[in-house]
Amino acid sequence: MFALIDCNSFYCSCERVYRPWLDSVPVVVLSNNDGCVIARTREAKRLGIPMGAPYFQWRDQMREWGVVCFSSNYELYGQMSARVMTTLEGMFPRIEVYSIDEAFADLTGITGDLVPLGYETRERVLRWTGIPVGVGIGPTKTLAKLANWAAKTWRKSGGVIDLSDPERRDRLLKMTEVSEVWGVGRRLTTRLRPLGIQTAWDLAQYDSASLRKQFSVVLEKTARELHGISCLELEEAVPPRQMICSSKMFGSRLRDIAPIREAVVAYVTKAAEKLRSQQSLAGALQVAIRTGMHNPNQPRYANAISCPLPYPTDDTRVLAAAAVRGLEAIYRHGYAYSKAEVLLMDLRQRGEFTGDLFAAAPRLGADRLMAVVDQINAREGRGTVRLGRIPATAEWSMKREMMSQRYTTRWDELMVVR
């Protein structure tokens, strides 16, 4: 048995934790550079605000409706996610953190009615973190995911639905569109409909061998899971990433190479932190830049280059130097650049490669230096210690004009009670 615990409108709920007066007010959170809507409360959904709605098109209407908008505050959301996951780890013997706002829990061996356990989970997470969650329970991960969707859709359920009963499971499958099934997106839904697969029940009843032949083994496993046959195990250990990408749109168009260089070094720094956190080394690096692609009145340009590294490394200084050389090779004057990207590739764990006898040797003490930098930044805040190329405030930084305080990560932004 599995349970899927999913936070309700997670980004918006994080904003409401420190502003309880917004509990019944429509709230939305915007993407990088305040581009489009990426999170909505139930009240905002009722107003008809779609996911992905461009903010500049909906701004006046949302102001008229009294919608409260926030820029994305990822520092706050990451800390609140950690609090939720820590709470769940104290309730269940094994959990799999599936994303920033949801986790699977193993309920194997827990006897009796599981619905009260779901209510207890909701109550404890809300009391300890302030974040409301929905709980879906089922004999497979796919059914637990579907039960969670149903728990959020039908408020009469109290936020908890258990599909361990086959009759209840079948009733839900027959009334659920196949597009709501975990892993079945719009394109796949379009391909399934000519086969008469309209609902989750239709998919569960379809011949598994035919699904594997016409589509993939993944869809075959999905159908089996809907039928109550567990094919997906709980993954407690997250496998190391095979590539690490750091990329953002600039807060404004940049024409000079100097601020673009600063941004690229900042992106390398972030990617290197992720690299070290999973104990990996990068054997190759790619840097890319591009202009905006949707303005017909501005010239367009995009380019990328692979940058050689002297040896597999996680040293921010070595990676940044290679990225800057690559940037200078592909940069062209006369363009208004909107985005840069750094991609760390050919990742391997320490000890999984043979060093080149004729290559340059890593700097002495580089491992200890990077470890100390990471410890300071983890304790005092990201960017406390950084390369000299990265300014404290930069013109290329993301535009976040409506960002809330980072209550949990900045001393100067703690909540003050008077």
Side-chain angles (χ1 to χ4, degrees):
M1 294 297 295
F2 300 91
L4 178 67
I5 301 94
D6 187 9
C7 302
N8 299 342
S9 303
F10 179 60
Y11 291 174
C12 297
S13 295
C14 290
E15 302 291 354
R16 281 177 163 177
V17 167
Y18 296 93
R19 298 173 182 81
W21 56 88
L22 294 179
D23 279 352
S24 59
V25 176
V27 176
V28 301
V29 173
L30 306 176
S31 63
N32 293 345
N33 291 312
D34 297 340
C36 59
V37 174
I38 58 172
R40 307 163 294 166
T41 59
R42 186 183 298 270
E43 294 82 4
K45 294 175 184 178
R46 288 173 179 168
L47 292 173
I49 301 173
M51 184 68 81
Y55 177 61
F56 76 95
Q57 292 181 354
W58 286 77
R59 178 173 48 221
D60 294 339
Q61 185 68 71
M62 286 195 285
R63 286 176 179 171
E64 181 181 338
W65 288 337
V67 178
V68 178
C69 301
F70 290 100
S71 302
S72 50
N73 188 345
Y74 298 119
E75 296 93 332
L76 174 65
Y77 307 153
Q79 284 292 317
M80 296 303 295
S81 173
R83 294 182 182 187
V84 171
M85 300 309 165
T86 300
T87 303
L88 296 178
E89 287 172 351
M91 297 191 66
F92 302 100
R94 298 171 62 224
I95 72 165
E96 173 193 338
V97 179
Y98 182 66
S99 68
I100 191 173
D101 64 343
E102 56 186 330
F104 286 101
D106 184 6
L107 305 184
T108 302
I110 300 178
T111 59
D113 187 2
L114 297 176
V115 173
L117 177 61
Y119 288 132
E120 180 186 352
T121 301
R122 278 174 48 85
E123 194 274 334
R124 180 180 297 187
V125 173
L126 182 63
R127 185 174 71 250
W128 288 15
T129 70
I131 303 295
V133 300
V135 181
I137 301 171
T140 70
K141 292 174 76 173
T142 303
L143 285 172
K145 184 84 171 177
L146 192 64
N148 185 280
W149 168 81
K152 290 186 174 183
T153 302
W154 294 300
R155 302 189 69 178
K156 291 182 179 179
S157 66
V160 179
I161 284 184
D162 179 9
L163 294 183
S164 55
D165 179 17
E167 292 186 5
R168 190 175 193 185
R169 175 197 69 199
D170 292 346
R171 286 199 303 270
L172 178 61
L173 294 181
K174 290 176 181 178
M175 61 193 304
T176 303
E177 293 285 336
V178 71
S179 58
E180 299 295 344
V181 176
W182 185 28
V184 179
R186 292 182 181 178
R187 292 183 180 179
L188 195 52
T189 299
T190 303
R191 295 176 60 192
L192 291 172
R193 281 176 178 164
L195 301 178
I197 301 177
Q198 304 284 341
T199 65
W201 171 261
D202 297 332
L203 180 59
Q205 300 304 308
Y206 205 83
D207 181 65
S208 299
S210 298
L211 289 174
R212 182 170 188 166
K213 183 177 180 179
Q214 297 180 60
F215 298 95
S216 66
V217 66
V218 176
L219 189 61
E220 177 197 12
K221 288 183 177 180
T222 299
R224 290 182 182 276
E225 289 241 325
L226 290 174
H227 213 56
I229 303 171
S230 182
C231 302
L232 303 174
E233 298 295 328
L234 204 70
E235 297 180 4
E236 294 181 87
V238 180
R241 302 183 189 182
Q242 301 303 307
M243 292 190 296
I244 294 177
C245 179
S246 182
S247 172
K248 284 189 180 72
M249 299 288 289
F250 303 138
S252 58
R253 297 292 192 265
L254 303 178
R255 293 184 176 273
D256 298 330
I257 192 173
I260 300 176
R261 188 186 295 118
E262 295 173 357
V264 166
V265 173
Y267 298 167
V268 168
T269 300
K270 185 175 181 180
E273 290 174 355
K274 296 179 180 179
L275 184 70
R276 291 190 292 271
S277 69
Q278 68 174 34
Q279 304 295 315
S280 296
L281 302 174
L285 179 148
Q286 177 179 287
V287 62
I289 53 175
R290 69 173 174 86
T291 62
M293 295 297 170
H294 305 293
N295 190 339
N297 299 322
Q298 289 187 348
R300 301 176 185 176
Y301 173 72
N303 205 350
I305 187 172
S306 294
C307 311
L309 298 174
Y311 43 79
T313 182
D314 62 3
D315 190 332
T316 301
R317 298 167 298 174
V318 176
L319 296 170
V324 168
R325 289 193 297 270
L327 171 65
E328 292 172 347
I330 61 176
Y331 172 79
R332 298 291 182 270
H333 289 283
Y335 294 97
Y337 294 94
S338 65
K339 185 177 183 180
E341 175 183 286
V342 172
L343 184 65
L344 302 184
M345 305 177 294
D346 190 20
L347 305 190
R348 72 279 301 274
Q349 300 300 105
R350 295 179 181 275
E352 291 184 352
F353 67 96
T354 302
D356 187 339
L357 181 63
F358 301 100
R363 298 185 187 185
L364 291 176
D367 293 348
R368 295 196 303 274
L369 175 61
M370 291 297 107
V372 170
V373 169
D374 289 342
Q375 289 171 7
I376 294 174
N377 288 334
R379 185 176 65 246
E380 304 297 336
R382 174 174 285 170
T384 301
V385 178
R386 60 186 184 277
L387 295 181
R389 287 183 179 270
I390 306 174
T393 57
E395 62 176 289
W396 45 264
S397 297
M398 262 196 314
K399 183 173 67 175
R400 295 194 284 183
E401 298 176 348
M402 296 168 284
M403 193 176 79
S404 58
Q405 293 175 235
R406 289 160 288 190
Y407 298 100
T408 60
T409 59
R410 297 294 182 104
W411 288 108
D412 58 341
E413 296 184 15
L414 289 175
M415 176 173 280
V416 176
V417 179
R418 293 184 174 87

